[in-house]
């Protein structure tokens, strides 16, 4: 593994590794940038195939956090943590306390929270070892998924406005991948807006909940890419937009909550070449990081909610720039985020 080469290609400040043999804890914390503030990013617990996959994931996710906060106007830098391990572990307390001690070594340059595979109970264990975690009495929002879902809903409306000239989603069909914390709430927002839903999840109970509450049609996980719909909303895991899936899509817009949806930069180009409008993931899913402004910076709830609603305008600006410059929206979002970072460094 050429770690320094990978770090410089992503532009990282620091990557640190920690292990604890007794509990089997294996953790990586990546700090992409602290230019705008302390690096903020969740902790992901996943059974990665190998260390190289875990490292690539944490590098990509932490850079996206820098861009996400920069675009959302939240004074946070970008970081992320991954723990390599099986989510069914019975060693949860020992693993997350070991992780808390690792987070503490950063002395506040890195602040963590929930992510895929971790829950509030895990944050409680981390909190026993460090205060640099989104947990405790000062936390007013806590579960960020309703904020993320609302932001994604507003981003979908912006994509509809750019694509079809109106942001009304009534009668539109949305193929939703992942009916978890964000997907479920997004489904409810879309249903209330009059959209028709085609949904999938690898967990049948989660599918059933959306089918019942939102009169959705369920399809099996492998078929969601073939669903005939207006919009595809990926709300499960990343890298699902790739050479296998993009040719199968029968939608005009891809807009959802999942992080790192594009397997690689070139897949953003491939979507644009097929005439599919892509809402860049870190631009549309910043509701969670905005809730961090309330929990970690003391913003008023109303101020946070106002900024979540403004994801609509950010997305419209990204799409306009992409159109004017003849580039895919992902590149336009990167350019906007990098400009904000440069401005902050200059100022
Ligand atoms: P979650 O774990 O609650 O939900 C993910 C769902 O996807 C689960 O129900 C899981 O069963 C399902 N799933 C996994 N693999 C699948 C597959 N192959 N096909 C269909 N379904 C599959 O997570 P979440 O909090 O809802 O987050 C969803 C996505 O949004 C993640 O990528 C996360 O990183 C991203 N995100 C979440 C937040 C937040 O505030 N929770 C913020 C920003 C981004």
């Amino acid at each position: 593994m050429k770690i320094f080469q990978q770090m410089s290609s992503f532009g990282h400040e620091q990557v640190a590794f920690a292990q604890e043999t007794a509990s089997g804890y294996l953790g990586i914390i990546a700090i992409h940038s602290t230019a705008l503030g302390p690096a903020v990013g969740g902790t992901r617990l996943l059974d990665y195939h190998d260390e190289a996959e875990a490292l690539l994931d944490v590098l990509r996710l932490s850079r996206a956090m820098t861009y996400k906060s920069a675009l959302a106007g939240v004074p946070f830098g970008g970081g992320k943590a991954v723990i390599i391990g099986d989510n069914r572990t019975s060693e949860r307390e020992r693993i997350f306390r070991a992780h808390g001690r690792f987070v503490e070594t950063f002395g506040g340059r890195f602040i963590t929270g929930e992510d895929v595979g971790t829950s509030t109970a895990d944050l409680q264990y981390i909190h026993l070892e460090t205060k640099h975690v989104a947990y405790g009495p000062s936390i007013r929002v806590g579960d960020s998924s309703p904020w993320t879902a609302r932001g994604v809903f507003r981003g979908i409306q912006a994509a509809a406005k750019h694509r079809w000239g109106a942001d009304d989603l009534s009668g539109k069909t949305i193929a939703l991948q992942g009916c978890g914390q964000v997907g479920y709430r997004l489904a409810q927002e879309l249903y209330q807006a009059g959209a028709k839903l085609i949904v999938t999840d690898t967990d049948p109970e989660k599918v059933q909940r959306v089918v019942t509450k939102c009169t959705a049609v369920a399809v099996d996980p492998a078929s969601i890419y073939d669903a005939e719909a207006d919009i595809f909303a990926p709300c499960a895991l990343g890298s699902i937009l790739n050479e296998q899936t993009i040719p199968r899509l029968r939608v005009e817009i891809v807009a959802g909550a999942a992080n790192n949806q594009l397997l690689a930069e070139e897949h953003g180009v491939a979507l644009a070449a097929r005439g599919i409008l892509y809402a860049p993931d870190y631009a549309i899913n910043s509701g969670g990081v905005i809730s961090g402004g309330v929990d970690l910076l003391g913003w008023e709830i109303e101020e946070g909610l106002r900024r979540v609603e403004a994801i609509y305008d950010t997305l419209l600006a990204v799409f306009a720039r992409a159109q004017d410059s003849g580039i895919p929206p992902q590149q336009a979002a990167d350019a906007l985020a990098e400009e904000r970072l440069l401005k902050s460094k200059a100022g």
Side-chain angles (χ1 to χ4, degrees):
M1 254 193 290
K2 296 200 163 140
I3 297 175
F4 284 108
Q5 210 174 314
Q6 271 184 294
M7 276 175 73
S8 50
S9 75
F10 282 99
H12 275 74
E13 285 179 17
Q14 185 182 6
V15 179
F17 299 80
Q19 69 170 336
E20 193 188 75
T21 348
S23 61
Y25 168 74
L26 296 171
I28 312 176
I29 292 177
I31 298 196
H32 177 258
S33 167
T34 51
L36 295 180
V40 170
T43 291
R44 179 171 284 203
L45 169 61
L46 213 59
D47 202 2
Y48 291 98
H49 292 118
D50 54 31
E51 292 165 16
E53 188 191 33
L55 179 63
L56 183 61
D57 204 29
V58 79
L59 291 174
R60 293 186 72 202
L61 289 164
S62 50
R63 182 180 60 178
M65 288 306 295
T66 301
Y67 287 3
K68 189 184 298 200
S69 292
L71 258 194
V74 186
F76 290 149
K80 202 85 180 182
V82 298
I83 300 175
I84 304 170
D86 188 338
N87 214 314
R88 293 161 298 180
T89 179
S90 54
E91 292 283 358
R92 263 196 133 79
E93 176 167 1
R94 291 218 290 176
I95 284 177
F96 283 97
R97 290 190 74 156
H99 188 57
R101 289 190 289 279
F102 186 26
V103 172
E104 177 63 15
T105 64
F106 289 84
R109 277 184 69 236
F110 175 62
I111 304 170
T112 199
E114 271 180 54
D115 200 79
V116 174
T118 55
S119 67
T120 316
D122 301 321
L123 298 192
Q124 195 175 356
Y125 292 136
I126 297 174
H127 190 248
L128 293 174
E129 305 287 347
T130 181
K131 65 177 192 309
H132 304 300
V133 57
Y135 183 85
S138 63
I139 300 302
R140 285 175 293 156
V141 178
D143 176 8
S144 59
S145 47
W147 288 53
T148 304
R150 178 67 193 171
V152 172
F153 176 75
R154 294 290 287 146
I156 289 176
Q157 284 185 316
K161 172 86 178 159
H162 181 82
R163 183 71 193 219
W164 300 307
D167 58 21
D168 181 9
L169 297 174
S170 61
K172 298 289 182 202
T173 302
I174 291 141
L176 175 70
Q177 181 184 46
C179 304
Q181 309 209 67
V182 177
Y184 174 56
R185 291 177 173 90
L186 176 63
Q188 288 177 308
E189 297 247 14
L190 292 168
Y191 178 62
Q192 277 157 24
K196 295 181 220 147
L197 291 163
I198 300 171
V199 300
T200 196
D201 198 292
T202 42
D203 180 338
E205 279 181 27
K206 290 187 176 157
V207 174
Q208 195 48 49
R209 185 171 59 161
V210 178
V211 166
T212 311
K213 295 244 174 177
C214 307
T215 332
V217 174
V219 295
D220 66 273
S223 312
I224 195 74
Y225 304 106
D226 307 309
E228 198 165 331
D230 299 295
I231 299 167
F232 173 47
C235 296
L237 288 178
S239 302
I240 46 88
L241 298 171
N242 53 53
E243 56 268 30
Q244 270 85 43
T245 58
I246 292 172
R248 290 166 57 186
L249 295 176
R250 296 156 80 193
V251 295
E252 291 186 47
I253 291 170
V254 174
N259 283 310
N260 287 346
Q261 291 170 35
L262 300 169
L263 176 63
E265 176 101 19
E266 75 220 38
H267 298 113
V269 179
L271 282 170
R274 279 211 54 207
I276 297 172
L277 181 68
Y278 172 62
D281 42 18
Y282 65 77
I284 193 171
N285 73 12
S286 62
V289 94
I290 293 171
S291 77
V294 175
D295 282 343
L296 303 172
L297 302 172
W299 291 353
E300 293 300 328
I301 296 262
E302 293 68 29
E303 170 63 9
L305 293 173
R306 188 191 63 72
R307 286 172 184 248
V308 172
E309 294 301 305
I311 289 172
Y312 181 93
D313 301 309
T314 304
L315 261 292
L316 284 183
V318 166
F319 295 139
R321 183 171 180 141
Q323 190 167 320
D324 294 348
S325 314
I327 53 174
Q330 186 78 17
Q331 286 174 23
D334 287 357
L336 268 173
E338 276 158 18
E339 273 168 25
R340 290 196 184 171
L341 281 167
L342 272 179
K343 215 190 264 174
S344 77
K345 280 178 191 161

